[in-house]
């Protein structure tokens, strides 16, 4: 009966994804195509910007911004695409990227380039039509050249900051701490108070604004009366613009309904018209109106601020009353209809953003950073899961689209029912949902918001990758600092000199040969961190001042808590809390390298500084044996060995110390204050940062990628996932309020049967208990196994388990590796 | 017997100096195929059986062995001068050990930074093992897992095994024993109090064939299984399926018939042949006896599963 093992059989391999048969209907099937098609670009925003700011040039900037939003929402092309039930687009295309002024700086050189043109490049392609190319070349580039925020910033930032805070302007592009990301463009990162609009409508907000506007004429606040009045006026213009925008859609739907010949669609369009007449101006009355209202607000926010990461907050919490009303109480629709609408909503989230060739080369497939948080605890510490939580998980399972990113908050009281569904979703290998653990999460938020109470901390949700945020009371300026810990260590070893370009960029922290003990290294590391973070804070402060002056956001302000009460824009410190995010990268490489220095140089004296620096200078070429000693002869982070994990904790503690210190220095913060909070986030920047860091004592070769986020260096975690978890649990995450993700790799066999689902659920509960903040699972696909066959050095830690047999995949012979791939393919049988 | 009694009897995790250590091959955390929940798996060295399909050949001998991995070798040559018996050479750049000269002193391993040479089998004490196993306590708690001792034969040194199991029990850890069953009853019997379940291999029902395939008769294995079942210790019967050797319908049915007679059987695991152990034979310079033997198709495995289930037994494919 047995078949002969044949290599040919393993060429086409599958996964759970292929075994899953979605049950969505024809409408969703067609709409889903919209979410995954190649995006186009849209220039309408630029056309309006060119006109409006000119037209209102004598008005205060905040009024200009409101007028811009008004004009843009009035003039932009609107569509209701076939089959759609939830309507409204950020731009004029089915799936499109909005082009913003700052894009000229790179698009000009990449457009029509034989390799880098967005339509030609092999990744993250965008279609740009010939007439759009012409308009870009002839009208848009010439107009914006030299007139963007980035140009303005470059002209006013002093040379010292240019040299030390911005990689783009520094004579050494490899500086360890970068504040570049907010150089041009608006801030984005809004987590609006959707709940308020669902219950009060925009008209309710308008009434509130009018109330505050009437209060401004009090005699005791005479210094900023004019600014406040302008602010409230701008808010009113924006809110009116949003209401008018929804009305445009209602009119369009009515118009299309009149022309529609198919009775079913005609009815749908009539209903859409009715929905858009009601929301978001008025309170939502049912599930459909609630979804439409949230989406329309999201569209308007995205039109006001073109930048990333406008998140939905605790979606299942504020949406549940409307689901309950429609499906459970009034029974005006059934579960399947509610699901269909949510699927329509999901599909709408899959917009795109055009980025430069250099950017996408290292960071492909990144979406708009829309995160939707679900589950967790209620304010009073009870379980928060509800039918909408389940509906979101079902939608994710059905659609398998990139956005919105879903974050499932879990705590000890999360019911098995929801956790099981989330785990089944993991099995499909979309990397969704991410699991956010309340035990550590609440501790972290407590650090970020010590003034608040536990009820408020329990309300946290995700903004961006993994960053905690208290919805609509915090303005999260997240991408303020990107630091590479490994570069700091390199500077310590070279006494402040960049190993790549040889320039003296950092302070002189001493020739390491003179260090008597490892404490010398610690002290030097600390000095370098404080030096660079200070510059970073200064640079960030300068950019913040310009950004908030250029791009205030009156509409977003109206949906936050604080700005209306204070009469100050959300970008200018109006929100109750303002945070600045400092991202740290290269943690594991730094920790492992410190471990090597400590053990081999100071403790065992097997290695001298001279030998080490020579080997590093040679990028380990010709030092194979020494490199193997550094790799294998010293315990590494990720194996649950205290001696190694303590170094990772040291790195983060040092960073947290520097941020705590900056928060006490008024002159390092913008005039309205705020506080710095840390995160261990690298995204896919590991590749880019790898080019900025020379070779390292842990055997890292320039320019290979650094380890991502909290993960161990690739191939160094040899004791399985529980050991990684234990190592990560030793990090001082409670001091880094923004958190950081931990990626775990699972082989499909690990999650093959019903029993395995139970196991992964219990594993998740154990992780929560250990005090990890965030995990997400990558299910190793057979594609990845094939890659591991080709590049074994990158997959040293890839473990495969078959029955009681465990092996490192790369240690197996080719035939056996193909056997494993074969098993991956046939996992469905058992 | 309560936990408190165990503590008094064993003095907590402390164990007598005699029988308190054994050669350990590996400790794997978070395994899912070795009993309920997620388990830490300890492999010991030394086995009374020498099955021709053994996928962990390094576990058979009781003494440490030298594993050689030429693929990891960076050809630094440091190991050649330190070898007291001149057993190592690098002909054509390929790391080669003359096994007839090697006395497994481990000096080459000490200087090999690339880990191309490795001693298989490290002596570990009960205290060390308990410390290692306890690291995943939280995972056991939520998944209802624990430790599974395997090998080799975990009960090969019954005195050690008894002390080890007592020490685990004193910490409240669920214990599984993956055994071939070839253990004198006198040594096996005292351990039963401290074992939560056995993974019990039945490789062939015919004593002659069993001897041919594993080197020993199955008489003791089967009588032990009956005696353990009579004491009501849960049994997971495991059948390694090797095409052409023990997978005849007759033998499967005989095994099921026997298993059905055991009162405490939980389920029957069938473990289809794989060739993943071949690399380990290579690293020991040993011949892999069943190289190239064809693997099973899914249909064939499901067919066998149906036979097992027809006896009213729960059957799980451990693949």
């Amino acid at each position: 009966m047995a078949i002969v093992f044949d290599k040919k059989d393993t060429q086409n391999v599958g996964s759970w994804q292929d075994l899953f048969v979605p049950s969505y209907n024809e409408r969703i099937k067609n709409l889903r195509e919209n979410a995954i098609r190649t995006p186009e670009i849209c220039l309408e925003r630029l056309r309006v910007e060119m006109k409006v700011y000119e037209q209102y040039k004598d008005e205060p900037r905040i009024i200009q911004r409101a007028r811009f939003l008004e004009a843009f929402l009035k003039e932009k092309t609107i569509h209701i695409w076939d089959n759609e039930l939830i309507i409204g687009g950020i731009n004029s295309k089915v799936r499109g990227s909005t082009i913003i002024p700052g894009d000229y700086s790179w698009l000009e050189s990449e457009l029509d380039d034989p390799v880098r043109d967005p339509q030609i490049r092999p990744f993250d392609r965008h279609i740009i039509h010939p007439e759009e190319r012409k308009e870009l070349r002839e009208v848009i580039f010439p107009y914006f050249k030299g007139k963007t925020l980035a140009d303005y910033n470059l002209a006013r930032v002093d040379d010292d900051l240019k040299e030390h805070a911005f990689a783009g302007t520094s004579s050494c592009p490899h500086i360890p701490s970068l504040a570049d990301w907010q150089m041009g463009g608006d801030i984005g990162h809004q987590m609006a108070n959707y709940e308020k609009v669902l219950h009060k409508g925009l008209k309710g907000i308008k009434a509130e604004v009018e109330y505050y506007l009437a209060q401004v004429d009090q005699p005791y606040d005479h210094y900023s009366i004019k600014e406040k009045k302008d602010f409230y006026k701008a808010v009113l213009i924006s809110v009116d613009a949003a209401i008018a925008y929804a009305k445009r859609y209602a009119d369009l739907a009515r118009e299309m309904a009149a022309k529609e010949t198919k009775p079913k669609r005609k009815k749908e369009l009539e209903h859409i018209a009715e929905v858009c007449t009601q929301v978001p101006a008025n309170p939502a009355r049912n599930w459909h109106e609630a979804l439409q209202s949230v989406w329309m607000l999201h569209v308007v926010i995205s039109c006001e601020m073109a930048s990333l990461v406008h998140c939905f907050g605790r979606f299942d919490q504020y949406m549940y009353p409307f689901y309950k009303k429609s499906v459970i109480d009034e029974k005006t629709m059934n579960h399947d209809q509610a699901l269909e609408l949510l699927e329509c909503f999901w599909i709408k989230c899959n917009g795109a953003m055009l980025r430069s060739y250099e950017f996408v080369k290292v960071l492909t497939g990144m979406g708009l950073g829309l995160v939707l948080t679900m589950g967790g605890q209620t304010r009073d510490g009870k379980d928060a899961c509800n039918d909408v939580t389940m509906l979101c998980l079902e939608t994710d399972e059905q659609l398998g689209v990139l956005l919105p990113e879903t974050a499932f908050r879990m705590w000890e009281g999360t019911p098995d029912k929801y956790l099981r569904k989330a785990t089944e979703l993991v099995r499909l290998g979309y990397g969704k949902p991410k699991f956010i653990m309340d035990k550590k999460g609440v501790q972290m938020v407590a650090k970020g918001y010590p003034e608040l109470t536990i009820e408020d901390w329990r309300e946290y949700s995700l903004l961006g990758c993994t960053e905690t945020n208290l919805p609509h009371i915090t303005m999260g300026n997240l991408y303020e600092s990107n630091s590479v810990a490994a570069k700091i260590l390199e500077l310590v070893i070279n006494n402040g000199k960049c190993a790549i370009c040889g320039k003296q960029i950092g302070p002189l922290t001493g020739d390491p040969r003179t260090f008597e003990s490892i404490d010398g290294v610690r002290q030097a590391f600390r000095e370098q961190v404080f030096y660079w973070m200070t510059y970073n804070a200064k640079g960030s402060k300068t950019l913040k001042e310009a950004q908030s002056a250029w791009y205030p956001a009156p509409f977003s302000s109206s949906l936050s808590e604080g700005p209306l009460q204070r009469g100050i824009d959300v970008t200018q410190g109006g929100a109750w809390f303002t945070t600045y995010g400092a991202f740290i990268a290269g943690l594991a490489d730094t920790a492992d390298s410190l471990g090597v220095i400590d053990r081999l140089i100071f403790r065992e004296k097997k290695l001298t500084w001279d030998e080490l620096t020579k080997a590093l200078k040679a990028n380990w070429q010709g030092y194979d044996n020494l490199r193997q000693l550094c790799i294998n002869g010293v315990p590494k982070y990720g194996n649950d060995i205290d001696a190694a994990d303590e170094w990772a904790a040291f790195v983060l503690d040092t960073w947290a110390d520097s941020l705590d210190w900056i928060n006490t220095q008024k002159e390092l913060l913008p005039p309205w204050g705020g506080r710095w909070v840390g995160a261990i986030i690298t995204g896919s920047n590991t590749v880019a940062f790898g080019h900025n860091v020379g070779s390292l004592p842990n055997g890292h070769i320039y320019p290979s990628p650094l380890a991502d986020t909290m993960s161990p260096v690739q191939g160094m975690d040899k004791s399985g996932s529980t050991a990684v978890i234990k190592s990560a649990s030793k990090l001082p995450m409670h001091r880094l309020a923004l958190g950081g993700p931990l990626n775990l790799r699972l082989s499909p066999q690990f999650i093959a049967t019903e029993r395995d689902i139970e196991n992964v659920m219990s594993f998740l509960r154990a992780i929560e208990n250990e005090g990890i903040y965030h995990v997400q699972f990558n299910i190793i696909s057979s594609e990845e196994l094939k890659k591991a066959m080709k590049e074994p050095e990158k997959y040293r830690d890839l473990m495969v388990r078959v029955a009681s047999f465990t092996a490192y995949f790369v240690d197996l012979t080719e035939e056996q590796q193909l056997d494993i791939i074969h098993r991956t393919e046939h996992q469905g049988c058992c | 017997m309560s936990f408190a009694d165990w503590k008094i009897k064993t003095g907590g995790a402390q164990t007598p100096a005699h029988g308190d250590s054994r050669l350990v091959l590996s400790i794997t955390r978070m395994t899912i195929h070795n009993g309920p929940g997620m388990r830490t798996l300890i492999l010991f060295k030394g086995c009374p059986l020498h099955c021709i399909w053994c996928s962990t050949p390094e576990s058979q001998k009781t003494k440490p062995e030298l594993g050689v991995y030429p693929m990891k070798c960076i050809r630094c040559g440091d190991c050649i001068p330190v070898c007291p018996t001149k057993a190592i050479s690098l002909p054509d750049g390929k790391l080669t050990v003359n096994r007839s000269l090697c006395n497994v002193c481990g000096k080459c391993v000490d200087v090999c930074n690339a880990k191309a040479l490795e001693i298989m089998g490290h002596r570990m004490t009960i205290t060390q093992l308990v410390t290692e196993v306890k690291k995943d306590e939280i995972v056991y708690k939520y998944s209802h897992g624990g430790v599974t001792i395997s090998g080799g034969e975990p009960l090969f040194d019954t005195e050690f095994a008894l002390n080890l199991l007592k020490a685990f029990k004193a910490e409240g850890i669920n214990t599984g024993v993956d055994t071939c069953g070839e253990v004198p009853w006198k040594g096996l019997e005292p351990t039963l109090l401290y074992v939560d379940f056995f993974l019990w291999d039945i490789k062939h029902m015919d004593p002659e064939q069993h001897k041919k395939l594993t080197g020993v008769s199955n008489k003791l294995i089967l009588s032990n299984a009956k005696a353990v079942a009579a004491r009501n210790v849960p049994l997971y019967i495991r059948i390694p399926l090797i095409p052409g050797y023990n997978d005849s319908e007759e033998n499967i049915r005989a095994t099921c018939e026997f298993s059905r007679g055991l009162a405490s059987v939980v389920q029957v695991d069938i473990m289809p042949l794989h060739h993943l152990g071949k690399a380990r034979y290579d690293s020991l310079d040993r011949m892999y006896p069943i190289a190239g033997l064809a693997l099973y198709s899914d249909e064939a495995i499901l067919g066998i599963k149906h036979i097992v289930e027809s006896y009213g037994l729960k059957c799980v494919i451990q693949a």
Side-chain angles (χ1 to χ4, degrees), chain A residues 2-3 625 628-629 632 640 722 726 750 755 759 762-763 765 769 801 803-806 816 823 826, chain B residues 29-30 32-35 37-38 55 74 78 113-114 135-136 142-143 274-276 278 280 295 298 318:
Chain A
I3 51 157
N625 202 1
Q628 292 298 329
L629 175 67
N632 295 318
D640 196 5
T722 52
K726 293 271 282 194
F750 196 87
R755 203 196 116 190
N759 271 338
S762 54
F763 184 44
R765 293 211 187 269
N769 205 303
R801 295 211 169 119
S804 63
F805 191 92
T806 308
Q816 294 154 357
R823 282 157 188 274
H826 289 96
Chain B
R29 292 162 71 169
M30 208 174 139
I32 54 170
H33 293 292
N34 304 289
M38 296 201 201
S55 63
I74 56 168
D78 286 1
N113 290 330
K135 284 182 169 175
D136 277 349
Y142 285 99
S143 69
H274 61 74
H275 288 312
L276 301 172
K278 186 174 176 299
R280 303 189 182 186
L295 300 172
D298 296 340
Q318 296 284 9

Side-chain angles (χ1 to χ4, degrees), chain A residues 442-719:
Chain A
V442 170
Q443 285 176 26
M444 286 159 34
V445 183
K447 158 80 182 169
Y449 306 87
E451 310 82 339
L452 300 180
T453 61
I454 183 137
E455 285 81 8
D456 298 320
W457 297 336
R458 286 184 186 129
E459 288 274 21
Y460 78 91
S461 77
L462 260 60
L463 184 65
C465 310
T466 71
E467 298 91 316
T468 59
N469 189 292
L470 292 184
H472 55 78
I473 65 170
T474 310
M475 176 66 224
N477 301 275
L478 297 184
Y479 296 119
E480 295 304 326
S481 157
N482 257 286
S483 304
V484 191
K487 185 71 186 179
I488 296 277
L489 183 72
E490 182 209 298
L491 294 178
V492 169
I493 294 170
N494 297 313
N495 197 6
K497 264 203 186 95
C498 171
I500 299 168
C501 59
K503 278 207 175 70
Q504 182 75 38
I505 54 171
L508 296 163
T509 44
D511 183 339
R513 281 174 298 189
T514 62
F515 295 157
E516 280 171 14
S517 72
I518 189 72
D519 286 344
V521 179
R522 281 177 198 266
Q523 187 52 35
F525 189 83
R526 200 177 163 82
E527 278 174 37
Q528 293 279 358
V529 168
F530 274 67
Y531 177 87
W532 288 103
M533 287 313 293
T534 305
Y535 268 114
N536 199 315
K538 280 184 194 165
S540 173
K541 176 193 176 186
T542 317
L543 297 191
K544 284 285 94 163
E545 284 166 355
Q547 190 181 46
S548 60
W550 272 57
Y551 290 117
F555 184 74
S556 302
S557 296
S558 74
L559 301 179
S560 295
E561 293 303 311
L564 292 190
Q565 292 87 337
R566 289 173 167 173
I568 300 170
D569 191 84
V570 72
T571 65
Q572 296 164 356
W576 292 140
F577 293 94
T578 300
T579 56
Y580 310 101
F583 291 6
I584 298 146
L587 171 70
D589 289 279
T590 316
D592 288 353
S593 297
L594 284 164
V596 166
I597 293 170
D598 179 33
R599 183 135 169 167
L600 296 183
I601 296 185
F602 290 109
R603 284 175 204 260
E604 295 182 354
K605 305 202 189 317
K606 278 187 183 166
L607 180 64
T608 65
W609 278 107
D610 284 327
E611 280 173 300
L612 179 65
T613 40
K614 255 190 233 161
L616 293 181
K617 206 164 237 168
N619 201 13
W620 294 108
Q621 296 303 305
Y623 292 86
D624 261 7
N625 202 1
L626 182 59
R627 180 165 178 258
Q628 292 298 329
L629 175 67
C630 291
I631 291 174
N632 295 318
V634 183
K636 294 291 192 289
Y637 167 71
N639 295 289
D640 196 5
I641 300 168
D642 286 348
D645 301 338
E646 274 162 14
W647 282 113
F650 161 75
V651 172
L652 291 186
D653 267 325
T654 310
W655 237 277
D657 287 347
S658 77
L659 296 178
D660 284 351
W661 178 78
I662 288 170
N663 286 336
T664 63
Q665 304 300 307
K666 268 206 152 160
E667 75 278 8
L668 294 178
L669 297 168
W672 55 83
R675 65 175 67 115
W676 282 83
V677 276
I680 319 175
I681 294 175
T682 39
S684 304
N685 292 330
T686 50
V687 181
F689 290 149
H691 284 267
N692 286 354
V693 180
S695 46
L696 293 168
N698 71 335
H700 177 265
I701 291 176
Y702 172 81
S704 49
L706 297 171
D708 72 2
T709 60
M710 291 156 78
S711 310
V713 176
Q714 220 169 25
M716 286 300 130
D717 50 329
K718 297 184 173 171
S719 316

Side-chain angles (χ1 to χ4, degrees), chain A residues 239-259:
Chain A
V239 173
D240 280 336
I243 293 172
Y245 183 56
K247 190 174 168 293
R248 283 185 70 201
Y249 275 100
D251 295 343
L252 178 64
R254 231 166 259 129
E255 202 179 296
M256 285 170 74
K259 285 184 206 151

Side-chain angles (χ1 to χ4, degrees), chain A residues 728-742:
Chain A
S729 72
K730 296 173 198 167
L731 301 177
M733 287 307 291
H734 58 282
R735 300 191 64 194
L736 301 162
L738 295 185
L742 181 61

